[in-house]
Amino acid sequence: MSYLQTFADRTDSLERVLWEQTSGEPEISAGTLEQTHTTEVAIVGGGYTGLSTGLALAEAGVPVAIIETYAPGYGASGRNAAGVVGIWPASSPTQVVAAYGSHRGARMNTMLAGAVPLLDCIILKYGICCDWTPCGIAMVAQKPAVVPMLSYLADDWARYSNPVRVLDVCGAAEVTGTNRFFGGILFEAAGRLNPLSYTRGLARAAVQRGAALFCGQQALSVERTKGRWTINTERGSVVARSLLIATDAYSNGLWPVLKKYFYRVPLSMVSTSPLSDEIANRLNPVGMPYTDANLNNLFWVMVEGGNRLVTTTVPPRLRPGDPARVAQPFERKLRRVYKNLPELHWEHAWSGYVGVTKDRLPRILRLGDDAYTIYGYSGQGIANATAIGAEAANLLQYGPDNCAMPITEPSVVTAPELTAFAMRNFAFPAIRLLDRYY
């Protein structure tokens, strides 16, 4: 048994997840797949990508069936740290243009600049009860040398109508409640939500528009016969003209080669019990979550709607389900930023996986005739997967020319499981040890 599977066995239950306990959307009642269901498009995976694609297809009147092993949001879509922003995880718009060309790169950037407005529209249209708060998100500079880079990023996104405002030292202090930062940028089209509620709301909307949703059944095998795809589960099968595999870091043996294309990195989320208004206002004084620009040592400070502090970190090797143990590295850094902070009671800890590509850009890969997979959101999935799912619907209906995302060749990563092990157990601890910006 691999170390990743051992980790999953200890942390997979949704009972640990804060978003389950605070969800405004109930778990949706799904159909039962007992025999053979015939449709136009079959989607494997009930997370943001699969549900956004399914919803867009259903809205267009295309028959679609979604197969989910557990329930919508069981994977990363229901477990993440709840920040919503339409940006590439580690690339600027100019870098995307350099990688994919001026025409395709511009389409990709424009798509992502519209990701949060699209999400906002879906939430309002279908009345999704997910504590959506479009408060903006700040990225602050932990050292002076980062300020020009952030200013450049703001200007770069402005070319694609993604509103980003530059913060000076005083502006950063106003957002963070501390003078430890040297400036930053504010993504105005951004915010926070309950990610599990949003996923369940997407599922409800897709079913409402006519999509078939089959939960509690794992897709065990796929075969191509007579120009149709057949996806076999334990109790029945779905036959479709087109196929989309949207399982990302939760891909199993359905299409084994996919595991060679990204690193499956475990991450933990942890939250406190409700804070006093005084402490909550000290951490997020204007109600806006923030992160610093040190992408190698996560520092996400978000107070959610119930006044709980929520953050994300690399899971410890020992006791990954112990909230206080999980929070230790983050809290050490937090107390360097906020002096004389009262004792925090860490109440919830849960974990999930992130699919990380070499360049941390998501991919659409062609698997065969009318068959695709989407993977590699690299920790930036809520808005991005919503937008890319809508583009995948165009791809499945009209072909690659009508999709903003390119259909790329696979890029094999080196020793994916060994690398993920090294990142968790050696690289990230070393980075944390050396991080002394504050």
Side-chain angles (χ1 to χ4, degrees):
M1 181 179 290
S2 72
Y3 98 95
L4 285 177
Q5 184 60 51
T6 302
F7 171 77
D9 290 342
R10 293 198 300 262
T11 58
D12 258 358
S13 174
L14 274 179
E15 294 176 359
R16 299 173 179 267
V17 179
L18 171 67
W19 312 127
E20 170 69 278
Q21 299 183 27
T22 60
S23 178
E25 288 278 343
E27 187 171 336
I28 188 169
S29 297
T32 301
L33 182 61
E34 295 290 354
Q35 297 179 343
T36 299
H37 179 89
T38 301
T39 188
E40 278 295 296
V41 179
I43 298 172
V44 180
Y48 302 131
T49 303
L51 294 170
S52 176
T53 305
L55 174 59
L57 288 170
E59 287 181 330
V62 178
V64 56
I66 303 165
I67 304 169
E68 164 58 39
T69 301
Y70 299 103
Y74 185 87
S77 295
R79 299 172 181 270
N80 58 69
V84 180
V85 61
I87 60 173
W88 305 112
S91 298
S92 68
T94 294
Q95 288 170 322
V96 169
V97 168
Y100 290 101
S102 57
H103 177 67
R104 177 66 70 176
R107 288 181 69 187
M108 293 169 67
N109 292 330
T110 300
M111 171 199 70
L112 213 57
V116 176
L118 173 63
L119 174 144
D120 183 77
C121 179
I122 291 172
I123 290 172
L124 292 175
K125 182 177 182 179
Y126 292 101
I128 298 175
C129 186
C130 60
D131 192 31
W132 167 229
T133 308
C135 52
I137 290 177
M139 179 180 290
V140 292
Q142 72 275 15
K143 56 181 179 178
V146 173
V147 174
M149 180 270 288
L150 292 178
S151 297
Y152 171 80
L153 187 62
D155 291 341
D156 212 6
W157 274 115
R159 298 187 183 100
Y160 299 95
S161 301
N162 193 351
V164 186
R165 179 157 53 90
V166 176
L167 300 173
D168 59 15
V169 173
C170 293
E174 181 182 355
V175 167
T176 64
T178 175
N179 60 5
R180 294 273 176 163
F181 300 106
F182 297 89
I185 54 178
L186 192 164
F187 295 97
E188 295 181 326
R192 57 171 174 80
L193 48 63
N194 181 314
L196 181 58
S197 294
Y198 176 58
T199 311
R200 289 173 172 173
L202 283 177
R204 174 172 58 78
V207 171
Q208 180 181 325
R209 296 306 296 260
L213 175 63
F214 302 113
C215 296
Q217 299 184 58
Q218 181 177 346
L220 299 175
S221 64
V222 177
E223 54 190 354
R224 175 83 169 170
T225 55
K226 297 181 180 180
R228 308 282 286 183
W229 290 99
T230 300
I231 302 91
N232 299 303
T233 73
E234 297 164 335
R235 298 197 296 268
S237 60
V238 173
V239 178
R241 173 185 58 82
S242 300
L243 169 66
L244 175 66
I245 297 179
T247 49
D248 197 11
Y250 287 78
S251 299
N252 52 29
L254 182 64
W255 207 287
V257 72
L258 296 183
K259 295 183 179 181
K260 297 181 180 181
Y261 302 149
F262 57 84
Y263 301 109
R264 188 175 185 237
V265 179
L267 283 180
S268 285
M269 278 55 65
V270 62
S271 68
T272 65
S273 58
L275 305 173
S276 68
D277 288 343
E278 179 184 358
I279 301 305
N281 291 336
R282 185 177 176 191
L283 298 175
N284 283 173
V286 296
M288 181 186 300
Y290 76 90
T291 180
D292 68 14
N294 182 6
L295 299 181
N296 293 318
N297 187 12
L298 304 172
F299 190 62
W300 170 247
V301 182
M302 184 192 80
V303 178
E304 52 83 60
N307 258 20
R308 298 172 184 87
L309 173 61
V310 179
T311 193
T312 182
T313 184
V314 178
R317 287 179 293 174
L318 301 176
R319 309 200 312 276
D322 179 355
R325 178 71 184 86
V326 173
Q328 275 182 2
F330 168 80
E331 187 168 356
R332 283 196 294 266
K333 190 170 179 178
L334 185 72
R335 291 187 180 280
R336 294 201 298 268
V337 175
Y338 297 94
K339 299 298 184 182
N340 303 315
L341 197 64
E343 181 180 359
L344 300 175
H345 176 236
W346 297 97
E347 190 172 56
H348 299 278
W350 65 98
S351 298
Y353 294 103
V354 175
V356 180
T357 57
K358 280 184 178 179
D359 58 6
R360 298 182 66 180
L361 288 172
R363 295 280 193 279
I364 299 182
L365 177 66
R366 183 176 179 272
L367 300 175
D369 293 341
D370 296 317
Y372 301 90
T373 187
I374 304 175
Y375 63 92
Y377 290 103
S378 303
Q380 199 70 52
I382 303 178
N384 296 14
T386 299
I388 291 174
E391 292 298 324
N394 292 332
L395 167 66
L396 293 164
Q397 290 181 88
Y398 309 116
D401 290 343
N402 292 280
C403 178
M405 289 289 293
I407 313 305
T408 60
E409 294 298 318
S411 179
V412 176
V413 299
T414 304
E417 186 161 314
L418 179 61
T419 302
F421 176 86
M423 290 167 68
R424 176 189 177 191
N425 292 282
F426 302 107
F428 287 131
I431 289 167
R432 283 199 299 244
L433 186 65
L434 297 172
D435 184 358
R436 288 292 182 269
Y437 287 122
Y438 338 111

